[in-house]
Every structure is written in C-alpha cells, then in structure tokens.
Amino acid sequence: MYPEPENIWQRIEYSSFGTTIAESTWMFPTLETIHVIALVTVLGTIGLVDLRLIGVKGHAARVSQIAKDTLGWTWGAFALAAITGTLLFISKASSYMINPYFLVKMGLLALAGLNMLYFHSTTWRSVEQWESGEYPKAAKVAGWASLIFWIGIVFCGRAIGFTLGIYF
Amino acid sequence: MRECLYGYGAIASFWQGKISLMDDLLFEFTEWLRGTPVTELSLWISDTRASEWIAMHFWAIPIFQVIHILSISASFVAVLMLNLRAFGFAGSATLTEAANRYSRVLWWALLGLVGSGFLMIVGEPVRELVNPYFWVKMILLVIGVLVAAAFAKSLAKQGEATGSASGGTKVAGVVLIVLWCMIIWCGRWIAYAPV
C-alpha cells in the first residue's frame, strides 16, 4: 500500500487520517471550499480595518468601531481556515513541505501575525486619542503592511495549487 | 464499538450513494453540454489570440484567480456587513447609510468578479464552459444578484421609513449569505467536475 515513511511529513501523510482525506473523492474539495469561505471572510474583515487605517474613510467614522464590529468574525473565520488548512496539509504533508509557495505563505502568515501583534501593543493602545484626527504614520504603515501580507498569502495559496507536485 | 463502527459505515455509504448519484447527474449534464453550441463556442474562443496568450503565460490564470478571490472577499464581506447592520450587530451609521455604502462595495466587487471571471473563461474556455458546476454557478449568480438588489433596496427604504430592517428583509439577507456560499462552492468545484 503506502511505503515506509522516511520522515515526519510522510508519517503524517500516511497516517489513517491523511490517507482517508487523500483517497476520498469529496473530502479534499469540500475542505478547500470551506477554506475559501473562511479565508474570504478573514480577508474581507481585515481589509475593512486596514483600509480605514490607510485613510479610506467611507465605511467607518472611527477605526475602533469597524474593528469592534469585525473582530469576532475575523477570529472565528481564521480558526475555521486554520482547521481546514491543517486537514488539507495532513493529506499531502510531504508535497507541501517542499513547495516554496507553501513555505512563503506560512512565512507571510507569521509576518501578518507579528505586524498585528506589534501594532496592537503599541500604536493601537492610544487609538481613542488619535482616531478623531489625523491617523499616525505607524497606523498607516501597519494597514499597508497587513494588506500586502494578506494579498501575498492569497497569491501563494493559489500558486500552491498550480505547483504542487512539480517540486521533488 | 462494533455497532458504532457499523453506524459510521452506514452513514458513510449513505452519503457515498448520494454523492455518486450527484456525480452521475453532473456527468450527464456534461455529456449534454458537449452536444450544444457551447462546445463550438469554447473551441472558437480557445483559437483566439487572447486565449492563446493566456495559455502561453503560466502565471496569467493564477493572477486572475487571485483577483477573483479578492473580489469574492469584498463582495462577501459587503453581504456580511449588510446583514450585521440589518440585525443590529454592527455600525454606528444609519441603516440607509450602511445600505448605500456596502451595496456600492458589493456592485464594484461584482464588476471585479465578472471581469476576472471573463478572463478565466477566455483563458480556459473548455474547462469553464463545458462544465456543469459553471452553469449551476451562473444560475445561482443570477438569483444571487436579484436577491442582493432587492435586499439592498429594501434596507435603504426601511432605513428611511422606520430605521430598522423588517423580518422579511432579514430573511433575504441570510438567504443571500447562503447563496453566496453556494456560488463559492460551485466555483471551487469547477476544478472537480466529473468528466
């Protein structure tokens, strides 16, 4: 059936969990679909906050309002994307681990997380003071960085689908 | 334990049966499509210079798909925010303001979706047009756009009249979310059509 696993990624891939998803005709596409619905929710809600930070004003008078309205949806959808993403990963772990787009995508996810963490522990602390006037440069930089990281994440995610299996 | 496994097996084979029935239906749909002028049309498109150009450039289709996903994001979040506002879960703006603002986002996003979708059809006409999921998606899309237009319009109107959304409008909003998920579902499954 399956060859003897040579490393941890093959061990994951050849587990009964991994082979069940890989061998099923519908599980992988279904997980992908849920992953897409989750990620467009993450992207859309984060995008609303980022756009407000960089100066697009139409949709919210104050950035803290739009952040409050969307935060729960962002985290809920992110959890769903992470779960479905992990399941997709398990079914082809060794192919993903040698795919440069997958590795770059994980790197960009980490950068997006660090950007958010840094912004929230610094500039965001005084949001109530600055959000009624001109937004500080740090807020604009954080917004642009987040947008660029997330568009990069989508690009890499799509690129994985076109390059899986061409790296050995 | 054995009963439990048996139960799981019965559920799995029940769904497997449903899935293979649906696969058969979709396969017949594809067979039918092959006999319609859609096939000739897609072969004609694939001979155009635009289609050849896209086929020659490996990154063209992935980039169109990225634009498509970003547009789905914008449209989906617009539908989500309209719902949140209608149910009173979000925003300090009035219902009419929120309705106008996010329906504008929705229509611009739809333009992005149609544009990038059109480019994908030009690039891979047979894969898209001779595909049952594509046509189910198009039907759902027409219904979705009609429901969205009605939903946005009644939100703006009820905002002016009473300041809050009626029960029927809220139902339309939830239906719209479900429709959008079904459209996304069909879009992803275009890649997995039984042929």
PDB file of all heavy atoms in Angstrom, chain B residues 116-152:
ATOM      1  N   SER B 116     -12.709  39.378 -13.903  1.00  0.00           N
ATOM      2  CA  SER B 116     -11.704  38.322 -13.744  1.00  0.00           C
ATOM      3  C   SER B 116     -12.266  36.972 -14.198  1.00  0.00           C
ATOM      4  O   SER B 116     -11.548  36.151 -14.769  1.00  0.00           O
ATOM      5  CB  SER B 116     -11.208  38.265 -12.295  1.00  0.00           C
ATOM      6  OG  SER B 116     -12.297  38.157 -11.405  1.00  0.00           O
ATOM      7  N   GLY B 117     -13.563  36.765 -13.965  1.00  0.00           N
ATOM      8  CA  GLY B 117     -14.206  35.530 -14.425  1.00  0.00           C
ATOM      9  C   GLY B 117     -14.184  35.429 -15.944  1.00  0.00           C
ATOM     10  O   GLY B 117     -13.890  34.370 -16.508  1.00  0.00           O
ATOM     11  N   PHE B 118     -14.444  36.555 -16.608  1.00  0.00           N
ATOM     12  CA  PHE B 118     -14.416  36.589 -18.070  1.00  0.00           C
ATOM     13  C   PHE B 118     -13.019  36.214 -18.581  1.00  0.00           C
ATOM     14  O   PHE B 118     -12.889  35.404 -19.509  1.00  0.00           O
ATOM     15  CB  PHE B 118     -14.816  37.992 -18.547  1.00  0.00           C
ATOM     16  CG  PHE B 118     -14.750  38.176 -20.029  1.00  0.00           C
ATOM     17  CD1 PHE B 118     -15.758  37.677 -20.841  1.00  0.00           C
ATOM     18  CD2 PHE B 118     -13.682  38.839 -20.613  1.00  0.00           C
ATOM     19  CE1 PHE B 118     -15.694  37.843 -22.220  1.00  0.00           C
ATOM     20  CE2 PHE B 118     -13.608  39.005 -21.995  1.00  0.00           C
ATOM     21  CZ  PHE B 118     -14.621  38.503 -22.796  1.00  0.00           C
ATOM     22  N   LEU B 119     -11.983  36.768 -17.943  1.00  0.00           N
ATOM     23  CA  LEU B 119     -10.614  36.455 -18.365  1.00  0.00           C
ATOM     24  C   LEU B 119     -10.305  34.966 -18.181  1.00  0.00           C
ATOM     25  O   LEU B 119      -9.619  34.359 -19.000  1.00  0.00           O
ATOM     26  CB  LEU B 119      -9.615  37.307 -17.578  1.00  0.00           C
ATOM     27  CG  LEU B 119      -9.612  38.795 -17.929  1.00  0.00           C
ATOM     28  CD1 LEU B 119      -8.766  39.583 -16.941  1.00  0.00           C
ATOM     29  CD2 LEU B 119      -9.083  39.005 -19.354  1.00  0.00           C
ATOM     30  N   MET B 120     -10.833  34.375 -17.103  1.00  0.00           N
ATOM     31  CA  MET B 120     -10.605  32.941 -16.883  1.00  0.00           C
ATOM     32  C   MET B 120     -11.295  32.109 -17.951  1.00  0.00           C
ATOM     33  O   MET B 120     -10.779  31.087 -18.388  1.00  0.00           O
ATOM     34  CB  MET B 120     -11.093  32.540 -15.487  1.00  0.00           C
ATOM     35  CG  MET B 120     -10.185  33.026 -14.386  1.00  0.00           C
ATOM     36  SD  MET B 120     -10.605  32.250 -12.829  1.00  0.00           S
ATOM     37  CE  MET B 120     -11.686  33.432 -12.134  1.00  0.00           C
ATOM     38  N   ILE B 121     -12.485  32.558 -18.382  1.00  0.00           N
ATOM     39  CA  ILE B 121     -13.197  31.846 -19.448  1.00  0.00           C
ATOM     40  C   ILE B 121     -12.404  31.945 -20.756  1.00  0.00           C
ATOM     41  O   ILE B 121     -12.233  30.952 -21.460  1.00  0.00           O
ATOM     42  CB  ILE B 121     -14.628  32.409 -19.633  1.00  0.00           C
ATOM     43  CG1 ILE B 121     -15.466  32.140 -18.399  1.00  0.00           C
ATOM     44  CG2 ILE B 121     -15.289  31.792 -20.871  1.00  0.00           C
ATOM     45  CD1 ILE B 121     -16.819  32.844 -18.403  1.00  0.00           C
ATOM     46  N   VAL B 122     -11.893  33.159 -21.040  1.00  0.00           N
ATOM     47  CA  VAL B 122     -11.097  33.329 -22.263  1.00  0.00           C
ATOM     48  C   VAL B 122      -9.865  32.420 -22.215  1.00  0.00           C
ATOM     49  O   VAL B 122      -9.499  31.799 -23.212  1.00  0.00           O
ATOM     50  CB  VAL B 122     -10.682  34.809 -22.442  1.00  0.00           C
ATOM     51  CG1 VAL B 122      -9.697  34.960 -23.584  1.00  0.00           C
ATOM     52  CG2 VAL B 122     -11.908  35.678 -22.692  1.00  0.00           C
ATOM     53  N   GLY B 123      -9.253  32.328 -21.044  1.00  0.00           N
ATOM     54  CA  GLY B 123      -8.036  31.523 -20.917  1.00  0.00           C
ATOM     55  C   GLY B 123      -8.271  30.027 -20.982  1.00  0.00           C
ATOM     56  O   GLY B 123      -7.468  29.291 -21.538  1.00  0.00           O
ATOM     57  N   GLU B 124      -9.360  29.561 -20.364  1.00  0.00           N
ATOM     58  CA  GLU B 124      -9.631  28.121 -20.324  1.00  0.00           C
ATOM     59  C   GLU B 124     -11.097  27.850 -20.687  1.00  0.00           C
ATOM     60  O   GLU B 124     -11.867  27.383 -19.846  1.00  0.00           O
ATOM     61  CB  GLU B 124      -9.329  27.564 -18.924  1.00  0.00           C
ATOM     62  CG  GLU B 124      -7.876  27.691 -18.528  1.00  0.00           C
ATOM     63  CD  GLU B 124      -7.586  27.104 -17.149  1.00  0.00           C
ATOM     64  OE1 GLU B 124      -8.307  27.449 -16.197  1.00  0.00           O
ATOM     65  OE2 GLU B 124      -6.660  26.303 -17.035  1.00  0.00           O
ATOM     66  N   PRO B 125     -11.486  28.155 -21.936  1.00  0.00           N
ATOM     67  CA  PRO B 125     -12.919  28.105 -22.280  1.00  0.00           C
ATOM     68  C   PRO B 125     -13.566  26.724 -22.112  1.00  0.00           C
ATOM     69  O   PRO B 125     -14.681  26.629 -21.611  1.00  0.00           O
ATOM     70  CB  PRO B 125     -12.956  28.560 -23.738  1.00  0.00           C
ATOM     71  CG  PRO B 125     -11.571  28.445 -24.234  1.00  0.00           C
ATOM     72  CD  PRO B 125     -10.667  28.605 -23.068  1.00  0.00           C
ATOM     73  N   VAL B 126     -12.858  25.680 -22.499  1.00  0.00           N
ATOM     74  CA  VAL B 126     -13.483  24.347 -22.411  1.00  0.00           C
ATOM     75  C   VAL B 126     -13.656  23.934 -20.952  1.00  0.00           C
ATOM     76  O   VAL B 126     -14.719  23.459 -20.547  1.00  0.00           O
ATOM     77  CB  VAL B 126     -12.652  23.296 -23.193  1.00  0.00           C
ATOM     78  CG1 VAL B 126     -13.271  21.915 -23.047  1.00  0.00           C
ATOM     79  CG2 VAL B 126     -12.554  23.689 -24.660  1.00  0.00           C
ATOM     80  N   ARG B 127     -12.603  24.176 -20.154  1.00  0.00           N
ATOM     81  CA  ARG B 127     -12.657  23.822 -18.730  1.00  0.00           C
ATOM     82  C   ARG B 127     -13.830  24.517 -18.031  1.00  0.00           C
ATOM     83  O   ARG B 127     -14.476  23.950 -17.158  1.00  0.00           O
ATOM     84  CB  ARG B 127     -11.351  24.221 -18.059  1.00  0.00           C
ATOM     85  CG  ARG B 127     -11.322  23.983 -16.559  1.00  0.00           C
ATOM     86  CD  ARG B 127     -10.025  24.556 -15.990  1.00  0.00           C
ATOM     87  NE  ARG B 127      -9.825  24.223 -14.592  1.00  0.00           N
ATOM     88  CZ  ARG B 127     -10.105  25.043 -13.586  1.00  0.00           C
ATOM     89  NH1 ARG B 127     -10.630  26.222 -13.835  1.00  0.00           N
ATOM     90  NH2 ARG B 127      -9.885  24.684 -12.344  1.00  0.00           N
ATOM     91  N   GLU B 128     -14.101  25.789 -18.425  1.00  0.00           N
ATOM     92  CA  GLU B 128     -15.160  26.541 -17.748  1.00  0.00           C
ATOM     93  C   GLU B 128     -16.539  26.260 -18.348  1.00  0.00           C
ATOM     94  O   GLU B 128     -17.491  25.937 -17.632  1.00  0.00           O
ATOM     95  CB  GLU B 128     -14.886  28.049 -17.837  1.00  0.00           C
ATOM     96  CG  GLU B 128     -13.497  28.482 -17.372  1.00  0.00           C
ATOM     97  CD  GLU B 128     -13.341  28.442 -15.864  1.00  0.00           C
ATOM     98  OE1 GLU B 128     -14.356  28.352 -15.163  1.00  0.00           O
ATOM     99  OE2 GLU B 128     -12.179  28.507 -15.412  1.00  0.00           O
ATOM    100  N   LEU B 129     -16.638  26.411 -19.666  1.00  0.00           N
ATOM    101  CA  LEU B 129     -17.972  26.408 -20.286  1.00  0.00           C
ATOM    102  C   LEU B 129     -18.558  25.005 -20.434  1.00  0.00           C
ATOM    103  O   LEU B 129     -19.774  24.824 -20.314  1.00  0.00           O
ATOM    104  CB  LEU B 129     -17.923  27.107 -21.653  1.00  0.00           C
ATOM    105  CG  LEU B 129     -17.558  28.596 -21.609  1.00  0.00           C
ATOM    106  CD1 LEU B 129     -17.498  29.172 -23.011  1.00  0.00           C
ATOM    107  CD2 LEU B 129     -18.560  29.386 -20.774  1.00  0.00           C
ATOM    108  N   VAL B 130     -17.706  24.018 -20.686  1.00  0.00           N
ATOM    109  CA  VAL B 130     -18.235  22.647 -20.788  1.00  0.00           C
ATOM    110  C   VAL B 130     -18.118  22.010 -19.402  1.00  0.00           C
ATOM    111  O   VAL B 130     -17.434  21.017 -19.204  1.00  0.00           O
ATOM    112  CB  VAL B 130     -17.484  21.836 -21.874  1.00  0.00           C
ATOM    113  CG1 VAL B 130     -18.196  20.516 -22.155  1.00  0.00           C
ATOM    114  CG2 VAL B 130     -17.383  22.651 -23.166  1.00  0.00           C
ATOM    115  N   ASN B 131     -18.799  22.630 -18.457  1.00  0.00           N
ATOM    116  CA  ASN B 131     -18.648  22.231 -17.060  1.00  0.00           C
ATOM    117  C   ASN B 131     -19.969  22.458 -16.323  1.00  0.00           C
ATOM    118  O   ASN B 131     -20.484  23.574 -16.293  1.00  0.00           O
ATOM    119  CB  ASN B 131     -17.532  23.083 -16.426  1.00  0.00           C
ATOM    120  CG  ASN B 131     -17.109  22.553 -15.074  1.00  0.00           C
ATOM    121  OD1 ASN B 131     -17.946  22.289 -14.217  1.00  0.00           O
ATOM    122  ND2 ASN B 131     -15.824  22.400 -14.897  1.00  0.00           N
ATOM    123  N   PRO B 132     -20.518  21.381 -15.737  1.00  0.00           N
ATOM    124  CA  PRO B 132     -21.829  21.536 -15.103  1.00  0.00           C
ATOM    125  C   PRO B 132     -21.823  22.515 -13.933  1.00  0.00           C
ATOM    126  O   PRO B 132     -22.770  23.281 -13.764  1.00  0.00           O
ATOM    127  CB  PRO B 132     -22.163  20.124 -14.610  1.00  0.00           C
ATOM    128  CG  PRO B 132     -20.861  19.414 -14.553  1.00  0.00           C
ATOM    129  CD  PRO B 132     -19.997  20.013 -15.617  1.00  0.00           C
ATOM    130  N   TYR B 133     -20.735  22.525 -13.131  1.00  0.00           N
ATOM    131  CA  TYR B 133     -20.689  23.435 -11.982  1.00  0.00           C
ATOM    132  C   TYR B 133     -20.720  24.891 -12.437  1.00  0.00           C
ATOM    133  O   TYR B 133     -21.297  25.741 -11.774  1.00  0.00           O
ATOM    134  CB  TYR B 133     -19.430  23.189 -11.137  1.00  0.00           C
ATOM    135  CG  TYR B 133     -19.502  21.914 -10.342  1.00  0.00           C
ATOM    136  CD1 TYR B 133     -18.697  20.827 -10.658  1.00  0.00           C
ATOM    137  CD2 TYR B 133     -20.379  21.789  -9.271  1.00  0.00           C
ATOM    138  CE1 TYR B 133     -18.760  19.655  -9.941  1.00  0.00           C
ATOM    139  CE2 TYR B 133     -20.452  20.623  -8.543  1.00  0.00           C
ATOM    140  CZ  TYR B 133     -19.643  19.557  -8.878  1.00  0.00           C
ATOM    141  OH  TYR B 133     -19.717  18.406  -8.170  1.00  0.00           O
ATOM    142  N   PHE B 134     -20.074  25.161 -13.581  1.00  0.00           N
ATOM    143  CA  PHE B 134     -20.058  26.532 -14.089  1.00  0.00           C
ATOM    144  C   PHE B 134     -21.484  27.027 -14.332  1.00  0.00           C
ATOM    145  O   PHE B 134     -21.849  28.126 -13.917  1.00  0.00           O
ATOM    146  CB  PHE B 134     -19.241  26.608 -15.391  1.00  0.00           C
ATOM    147  CG  PHE B 134     -19.306  27.960 -16.045  1.00  0.00           C
ATOM    148  CD1 PHE B 134     -18.466  28.980 -15.639  1.00  0.00           C
ATOM    149  CD2 PHE B 134     -20.230  28.229 -17.058  1.00  0.00           C
ATOM    150  CE1 PHE B 134     -18.528  30.232 -16.222  1.00  0.00           C
ATOM    151  CE2 PHE B 134     -20.306  29.479 -17.650  1.00  0.00           C
ATOM    152  CZ  PHE B 134     -19.456  30.482 -17.226  1.00  0.00           C
ATOM    153  N   TRP B 135     -22.315  26.190 -14.969  1.00  0.00           N
ATOM    154  CA  TRP B 135     -23.674  26.644 -15.308  1.00  0.00           C
ATOM    155  C   TRP B 135     -24.583  26.695 -14.094  1.00  0.00           C
ATOM    156  O   TRP B 135     -25.425  27.596 -13.989  1.00  0.00           O
ATOM    157  CB  TRP B 135     -24.250  25.773 -16.431  1.00  0.00           C
ATOM    158  CG  TRP B 135     -23.504  26.035 -17.704  1.00  0.00           C
ATOM    159  CD1 TRP B 135     -22.569  25.220 -18.291  1.00  0.00           C
ATOM    160  CD2 TRP B 135     -23.555  27.226 -18.498  1.00  0.00           C
ATOM    161  NE1 TRP B 135     -22.044  25.824 -19.401  1.00  0.00           N
ATOM    162  CE2 TRP B 135     -22.621  27.049 -19.561  1.00  0.00           C
ATOM    163  CE3 TRP B 135     -24.270  28.412 -18.425  1.00  0.00           C
ATOM    164  CZ2 TRP B 135     -22.420  28.023 -20.545  1.00  0.00           C
ATOM    165  CZ3 TRP B 135     -24.062  29.380 -19.401  1.00  0.00           C
ATOM    166  CH2 TRP B 135     -23.151  29.182 -20.444  1.00  0.00           C
ATOM    167  N   VAL B 136     -24.397  25.764 -13.153  1.00  0.00           N
ATOM    168  CA  VAL B 136     -25.154  25.849 -11.891  1.00  0.00           C
ATOM    169  C   VAL B 136     -24.770  27.147 -11.181  1.00  0.00           C
ATOM    170  O   VAL B 136     -25.627  27.883 -10.668  1.00  0.00           O
ATOM    171  CB  VAL B 136     -24.888  24.623 -10.984  1.00  0.00           C
ATOM    172  CG1 VAL B 136     -25.581  24.779  -9.643  1.00  0.00           C
ATOM    173  CG2 VAL B 136     -25.347  23.335 -11.672  1.00  0.00           C
ATOM    174  N   LYS B 137     -23.452  27.447 -11.214  1.00  0.00           N
ATOM    175  CA  LYS B 137     -22.962  28.672 -10.585  1.00  0.00           C
ATOM    176  C   LYS B 137     -23.594  29.913 -11.236  1.00  0.00           C
ATOM    177  O   LYS B 137     -24.007  30.840 -10.539  1.00  0.00           O
ATOM    178  CB  LYS B 137     -21.431  28.729 -10.692  1.00  0.00           C
ATOM    179  CG  LYS B 137     -20.820  29.970 -10.086  1.00  0.00           C
ATOM    180  CD  LYS B 137     -19.300  29.983 -10.196  1.00  0.00           C
ATOM    181  CE  LYS B 137     -18.760  31.322  -9.724  1.00  0.00           C
ATOM    182  NZ  LYS B 137     -17.302  31.403  -9.760  1.00  0.00           N
ATOM    183  N   MET B 138     -23.684  29.908 -12.570  1.00  0.00           N
ATOM    184  CA  MET B 138     -24.253  31.074 -13.274  1.00  0.00           C
ATOM    185  C   MET B 138     -25.729  31.283 -12.897  1.00  0.00           C
ATOM    186  O   MET B 138     -26.174  32.414 -12.712  1.00  0.00           O
ATOM    187  CB  MET B 138     -24.119  30.902 -14.796  1.00  0.00           C
ATOM    188  CG  MET B 138     -22.709  31.039 -15.315  1.00  0.00           C
ATOM    189  SD  MET B 138     -21.907  32.597 -14.838  1.00  0.00           S
ATOM    190  CE  MET B 138     -20.702  32.015 -13.663  1.00  0.00           C
ATOM    191  N   ILE B 139     -26.471  30.166 -12.793  1.00  0.00           N
ATOM    192  CA  ILE B 139     -27.887  30.283 -12.404  1.00  0.00           C
ATOM    193  C   ILE B 139     -27.992  30.862 -10.988  1.00  0.00           C
ATOM    194  O   ILE B 139     -28.752  31.798 -10.730  1.00  0.00           O
ATOM    195  CB  ILE B 139     -28.587  28.907 -12.496  1.00  0.00           C
ATOM    196  CG1 ILE B 139     -28.637  28.444 -13.963  1.00  0.00           C
ATOM    197  CG2 ILE B 139     -29.996  28.958 -11.890  1.00  0.00           C
ATOM    198  CD1 ILE B 139     -28.970  26.979 -14.142  1.00  0.00           C
ATOM    199  N   LEU B 140     -27.163  30.301 -10.068  1.00  0.00           N
ATOM    200  CA  LEU B 140     -27.170  30.798  -8.684  1.00  0.00           C
ATOM    201  C   LEU B 140     -26.752  32.263  -8.628  1.00  0.00           C
ATOM    202  O   LEU B 140     -27.277  33.040  -7.822  1.00  0.00           O
ATOM    203  CB  LEU B 140     -26.230  29.955  -7.817  1.00  0.00           C
ATOM    204  CG  LEU B 140     -26.681  28.527  -7.524  1.00  0.00           C
ATOM    205  CD1 LEU B 140     -25.548  27.745  -6.854  1.00  0.00           C
ATOM    206  CD2 LEU B 140     -27.909  28.526  -6.620  1.00  0.00           C
ATOM    207  N   LEU B 141     -25.813  32.634  -9.515  1.00  0.00           N
ATOM    208  CA  LEU B 141     -25.322  34.014  -9.538  1.00  0.00           C
ATOM    209  C   LEU B 141     -26.441  34.979  -9.924  1.00  0.00           C
ATOM    210  O   LEU B 141     -26.608  36.030  -9.286  1.00  0.00           O
ATOM    211  CB  LEU B 141     -24.153  34.126 -10.519  1.00  0.00           C
ATOM    212  CG  LEU B 141     -23.514  35.508 -10.650  1.00  0.00           C
ATOM    213  CD1 LEU B 141     -22.887  35.934  -9.332  1.00  0.00           C
ATOM    214  CD2 LEU B 141     -22.462  35.515 -11.748  1.00  0.00           C
ATOM    215  N   VAL B 142     -27.226  34.610 -10.947  1.00  0.00           N
ATOM    216  CA  VAL B 142     -28.336  35.471 -11.375  1.00  0.00           C
ATOM    217  C   VAL B 142     -29.325  35.627 -10.214  1.00  0.00           C
ATOM    218  O   VAL B 142     -29.744  36.751  -9.882  1.00  0.00           O
ATOM    219  CB  VAL B 142     -29.027  34.888 -12.631  1.00  0.00           C
ATOM    220  CG1 VAL B 142     -30.298  35.660 -12.945  1.00  0.00           C
ATOM    221  CG2 VAL B 142     -28.072  34.929 -13.821  1.00  0.00           C
ATOM    222  N   ILE B 143     -29.662  34.502  -9.567  1.00  0.00           N
ATOM    223  CA  ILE B 143     -30.577  34.573  -8.421  1.00  0.00           C
ATOM    224  C   ILE B 143     -29.962  35.437  -7.318  1.00  0.00           C
ATOM    225  O   ILE B 143     -30.629  36.303  -6.736  1.00  0.00           O
ATOM    226  CB  ILE B 143     -30.888  33.154  -7.877  1.00  0.00           C
ATOM    227  CG1 ILE B 143     -31.540  32.291  -8.969  1.00  0.00           C
ATOM    228  CG2 ILE B 143     -31.799  33.220  -6.643  1.00  0.00           C
ATOM    229  CD1 ILE B 143     -31.652  30.819  -8.595  1.00  0.00           C
ATOM    230  N   GLY B 144     -28.662  35.231  -7.070  1.00  0.00           N
ATOM    231  CA  GLY B 144     -27.958  35.978  -6.027  1.00  0.00           C
ATOM    232  C   GLY B 144     -27.985  37.479  -6.273  1.00  0.00           C
ATOM    233  O   GLY B 144     -28.224  38.262  -5.347  1.00  0.00           O
ATOM    234  N   VAL B 145     -27.744  37.874  -7.514  1.00  0.00           N
ATOM    235  CA  VAL B 145     -27.730  39.308  -7.843  1.00  0.00           C
ATOM    236  C   VAL B 145     -29.128  39.906  -7.651  1.00  0.00           C
ATOM    237  O   VAL B 145     -29.264  41.004  -7.093  1.00  0.00           O
ATOM    238  CB  VAL B 145     -27.218  39.531  -9.286  1.00  0.00           C
ATOM    239  CG1 VAL B 145     -27.459  40.961  -9.734  1.00  0.00           C
ATOM    240  CG2 VAL B 145     -25.729  39.207  -9.370  1.00  0.00           C
ATOM    241  N   LEU B 146     -30.163  39.152  -8.069  1.00  0.00           N
ATOM    242  CA  LEU B 146     -31.539  39.654  -7.892  1.00  0.00           C
ATOM    243  C   LEU B 146     -31.882  39.800  -6.414  1.00  0.00           C
ATOM    244  O   LEU B 146     -32.437  40.827  -5.991  1.00  0.00           O
ATOM    245  CB  LEU B 146     -32.538  38.711  -8.588  1.00  0.00           C
ATOM    246  CG  LEU B 146     -32.458  38.669 -10.126  1.00  0.00           C
ATOM    247  CD1 LEU B 146     -33.407  37.610 -10.682  1.00  0.00           C
ATOM    248  CD2 LEU B 146     -32.789  40.040 -10.715  1.00  0.00           C
ATOM    249  N   VAL B 147     -31.533  38.774  -5.620  1.00  0.00           N
ATOM    250  CA  VAL B 147     -31.810  38.839  -4.174  1.00  0.00           C
ATOM    251  C   VAL B 147     -31.021  39.992  -3.541  1.00  0.00           C
ATOM    252  O   VAL B 147     -31.564  40.749  -2.725  1.00  0.00           O
ATOM    253  CB  VAL B 147     -31.475  37.492  -3.472  1.00  0.00           C
ATOM    254  CG1 VAL B 147     -31.618  37.616  -1.957  1.00  0.00           C
ATOM    255  CG2 VAL B 147     -32.380  36.380  -3.983  1.00  0.00           C
ATOM    256  N   ALA B 148     -29.746  40.151  -3.968  1.00  0.00           N
ATOM    257  CA  ALA B 148     -28.911  41.229  -3.413  1.00  0.00           C
ATOM    258  C   ALA B 148     -29.511  42.600  -3.722  1.00  0.00           C
ATOM    259  O   ALA B 148     -29.551  43.472  -2.845  1.00  0.00           O
ATOM    260  CB  ALA B 148     -27.484  41.132  -3.964  1.00  0.00           C
ATOM    261  N   ALA B 149     -29.971  42.775  -4.962  1.00  0.00           N
ATOM    262  CA  ALA B 149     -30.546  44.069  -5.350  1.00  0.00           C
ATOM    263  C   ALA B 149     -31.798  44.371  -4.519  1.00  0.00           C
ATOM    264  O   ALA B 149     -31.957  45.479  -3.998  1.00  0.00           O
ATOM    265  CB  ALA B 149     -30.871  44.067  -6.836  1.00  0.00           C
ATOM    266  N   ALA B 150     -32.650  43.344  -4.371  1.00  0.00           N
ATOM    267  CA  ALA B 150     -33.873  43.535  -3.587  1.00  0.00           C
ATOM    268  C   ALA B 150     -33.551  43.811  -2.117  1.00  0.00           C
ATOM    269  O   ALA B 150     -34.149  44.692  -1.488  1.00  0.00           O
ATOM    270  CB  ALA B 150     -34.760  42.292  -3.713  1.00  0.00           C
ATOM    271  N   PHE B 151     -32.579  43.066  -1.594  1.00  0.00           N
ATOM    272  CA  PHE B 151     -32.173  43.198  -0.192  1.00  0.00           C
ATOM    273  C   PHE B 151     -31.634  44.606   0.084  1.00  0.00           C
ATOM    274  O   PHE B 151     -32.079  45.279   1.026  1.00  0.00           O
ATOM    275  CB  PHE B 151     -31.110  42.135   0.108  1.00  0.00           C
ATOM    276  CG  PHE B 151     -30.510  42.190   1.477  1.00  0.00           C
ATOM    277  CD1 PHE B 151     -31.297  42.120   2.618  1.00  0.00           C
ATOM    278  CD2 PHE B 151     -29.130  42.280   1.631  1.00  0.00           C
ATOM    279  CE1 PHE B 151     -30.730  42.142   3.883  1.00  0.00           C
ATOM    280  CE2 PHE B 151     -28.552  42.310   2.892  1.00  0.00           C
ATOM    281  CZ  PHE B 151     -29.351  42.244   4.014  1.00  0.00           C
ATOM    282  N   ALA B 152     -30.701  45.063  -0.787  1.00  0.00           N
ATOM    283  CA  ALA B 152     -30.091  46.381  -0.584  1.00  0.00           C
ATOM    284  C   ALA B 152     -31.142  47.482  -0.696  1.00  0.00           C
ATOM    285  O   ALA B 152     -31.140  48.448   0.066  1.00  0.00           O
ATOM    286  CB  ALA B 152     -28.964  46.596  -1.598  1.00  0.00           C
TER     287      ALA B 152
END
